[in-house]
């Protein structure tokens, strides 16, 4: 499986679970510039092969990546809990058929939208506007940071 984990602060539980699931997981530091994450995805896109991106604080359950890797849908996601009342994308599979259908997708992202702060929208959500839908896999994967956030909320409230 071609698994990539872009990180600025890689969580040890994320690293451990990914190394167990796919020993050749590629961990890529993306803290050097605002567009390092974009550059990475653009490189992956240009290779034309299916790949899965797992964020640096996501902990997947055993077998989760294999399920999406083998799924025939072009765009597979696991949601993860986000800040209170919000869910985010924890893990996304970009299938090779999707990439070949939109070979210029990354080139077409406006330079002003290439920062990691805004990339989610252009990279994934804009595909929805092009008629692609997320294939949602369940159960959700785990997200370390919001858990900590909730924990703080609970303890402060007591
Ligand atoms: Zn799927």
């Amino acid at each position: 499986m071609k698994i990539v984990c872009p990180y600025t602060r890689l969580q040890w539980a994320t690293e451990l679970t990914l190394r167990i699931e796919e020993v050749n997981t590629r961990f890529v530091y993306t803290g050097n510039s605002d567009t390092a994450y974009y550059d990475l995805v653009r490189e992956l896109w240009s290779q034309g092969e299916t790949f899965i991106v797992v964020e640096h604080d996501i902990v997947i359950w055993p077998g989760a990546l294999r399920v999406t890797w083998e799924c025939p849908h072009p765009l597979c996601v696991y949601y993860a809990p986000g800040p209170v009342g919000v869910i985010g994308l924890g893990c996304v599979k970009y299938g090779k058929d999707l990439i070949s259908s939109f070979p210029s997708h990354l080139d077409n992202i406006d330079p002003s939208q290439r920062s990691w702060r805004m990339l989610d929208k252009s990279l994934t959500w804009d595909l929805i506007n092009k008629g692609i839908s997320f294939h949602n896999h369940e159960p959700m994967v785990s997200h370390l940071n919001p858990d900590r956030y909730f924990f703080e909320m609970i303890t402060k409230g007591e």
Side-chain angles (χ1 to χ4, degrees):
M1 294 186 287
K2 188 171 182 176
I3 312 298
V4 182
C5 177
Y7 71 91
T8 51
R9 288 194 304 167
L10 181 59
Q11 302 295 305
W12 73 264
T14 301
E15 181 178 1
L16 180 68
T17 49
L18 289 177
R19 287 194 190 282
I20 290 168
E21 292 297 302
E22 173 50 70
V23 71
N24 293 318
T25 295
R26 191 174 155 203
F27 296 89
V28 184
Y29 181 68
T30 52
N32 285 330
S33 84
D34 249 23
T35 59
Y37 193 116
Y38 168 84
D39 295 337
L40 171 65
V41 178
R42 184 178 184 161
E43 177 202 322
L44 293 163
W45 206 271
S46 73
Q47 293 164 357
E49 300 162 359
T50 299
F51 63 95
I52 301 176
V53 176
V54 183
E55 303 289 337
H56 63 175
D57 51 3
I58 294 295
V59 179
I60 53 154
W61 41 268
L65 297 179
R66 179 63 63 183
V67 170
T68 53
W69 184 258
E70 292 176 355
C71 179
H73 284 81
L75 183 62
C76 297
V77 303
Y78 283 104
Y79 289 107
V84 181
V86 176
I87 54 171
L89 298 175
C91 181
V92 183
K93 180 204 79 179
Y94 301 92
K96 63 179 189 317
D97 293 344
L98 173 77
I99 296 168
S100 61
S101 299
F102 301 99
S104 306
H105 179 51
L106 269 288
D107 299 325
N108 290 342
I109 294 175
D110 190 87
S112 68
Q113 304 294 311
R114 291 178 183 178
S115 160
W116 60 271
R117 294 179 182 83
M118 290 169 278
L119 191 59
D120 242 24
K121 181 191 171 297
S122 325
L123 181 61
T124 47
W125 296 99
D126 279 4
L127 288 169
I128 305 301
N129 298 331
K130 294 173 177 166
I132 300 293
S133 45
F134 287 143
H135 187 232
N136 178 25
H137 289 260
E138 292 184 320
M140 275 200 257
V141 290
S142 185
H143 190 188
L144 293 169
N145 289 333
D147 293 350
R148 199 177 304 149
Y149 181 69
F150 279 120
F151 180 75
E152 284 172 9
M153 294 277 289
I154 291 162
T155 51
K156 278 175 190 164
E158 282 173 352

